[in-house]
Amino acid sequence: MTDPMTAFVFPPPAPVSVAIEGRAERFPVRRIFCVGRNYAEHAREMGHDPDAEPPFFFSKPADAVVESGARIPYPSATTELHHEAELVVAIGRAGVEVAEADALSLVFGYAAGNDLTRRDLQAAAKAARRPWDMSKGFDQSAVIGAIRPGAAPMGRIRCQVGDKVTQDAALAEMIWPVAGIIAHLSRLVALAPGDLIMTGTPAGVGPIARGETCVVEVDGLAPAAVTIL
Ligand code: MN
């Protein structure tokens, strides 16, 4: 903890947080981890064989969070902004090298999310074997709906752009379910309260144009909506 008398050369940034359904308190966001290729059909649509590789991870900065209902500018440096509908896991307890059987005890709750992606920059990064950061971890790239405390949603995940449904899949289609994701990730980093995990997107990713609203829905959770100006 920082001594309350510590002086800073400029004011520290305000904490980033997400709404919690039915609660006045908010969920303070520490880090955002994202899972790549966690639905077989999406892996195939991106040109990969989905079979039996361990999950892999990338990150977004905490201050990339956008609350549901926000209206945000079309991101700079891209002409191919894509949506990725995802189930988001909110971590409420610390854990290192957690066994899969204990992994769900770290979970505070779940939210719907949209892993906004500069697809053109991601394709260029892949081709050049360069990092994905600027295609994934840009400003306002993590749309997160209100968190529902408690057990994992079952049901389906959907994405709608304007009046067109672009993604519609069963959460059960995830290659790595939530417990497996947490177990793997906790071997790579010490998970801590406030961490969010975006668990990957099903098939059907595609563009959001200027002026369009994109809504991610997960059965039982509040939607994650964003309008691109
Ligand atoms: Mn994603």
Side-chain angles (χ1 to χ4, degrees):
M1 288 296 283
T2 305
D3 186 312
M5 297 304 287
T6 299
F8 295 100
V9 292
F10 50 82
V16 176
S17 64
V18 176
I20 302 171
E21 273 185 55
R23 299 264 292 262
E25 298 101 329
R26 295 175 61 84
F27 182 91
V29 178
R30 183 167 184 262
R31 297 175 294 186
I32 306 172
F33 298 104
C34 307
V35 183
R37 291 173 213 144
N38 200 25
Y39 291 77
E41 275 194 42
H42 172 62
R44 287 190 204 101
E45 79 179 349
M46 302 303 287
H48 298 275
D49 177 354
D51 293 328
E53 276 181 38
F56 72 92
F57 300 94
F58 58 91
S59 317
K60 294 175 186 272
D63 66 4
V65 166
V66 173
E67 290 224 71
S68 183
R71 298 162 62 81
I72 64 172
Y74 198 94
S76 62
T78 182
T79 57
E80 201 178 10
L81 175 67
H82 269 204
H83 61 77
E84 295 194 354
E86 311 209 358
L87 175 67
V88 181
V89 181
I91 297 292
R93 279 188 42 210
V96 178
E97 297 183 4
V98 181
E100 212 167 302
D102 302 326
L104 296 183
S105 70
L106 270 57
V107 177
F108 174 85
Y110 295 86
N114 193 341
D115 167 16
L116 293 177
T117 301
R118 287 165 164 156
R119 193 69 72 200
D120 45 358
L121 269 59
Q122 187 193 31
K126 285 177 177 177
R129 296 174 175 265
R130 287 180 178 159
W132 288 9
D133 300 50
M134 293 302 116
S135 65
K136 287 292 197 177
F138 54 96
D139 295 339
Q140 300 183 293
S141 59
V143 186
I144 310 286
I147 295 169
R148 189 186 71 181
M154 312 289 279
R156 297 187 74 81
I157 181 168
R158 281 175 304 280
C159 186
Q160 194 166 321
V161 179
D163 56 9
K164 188 175 161 223
V165 175
T166 54
Q167 297 182 276
D168 185 2
L171 291 167
E173 291 173 34
M174 284 201 278
I175 297 169
W176 291 94
V178 171
I181 291 168
I182 291 171
H184 273 92
L185 184 56
S186 75
R187 290 177 206 152
L188 297 165
V189 294
L191 287 172
D195 289 338
L196 296 177
I197 307 172
M198 304 189 81
T199 59
T201 198
V205 300
I208 314 174
R210 284 187 173 84
E212 285 185 315
T213 296
C214 180
V215 182
V216 174
E217 289 181 303
V218 174
D219 288 340
L221 301 182
V226 67
T227 300
I228 305 299
L229 302 175

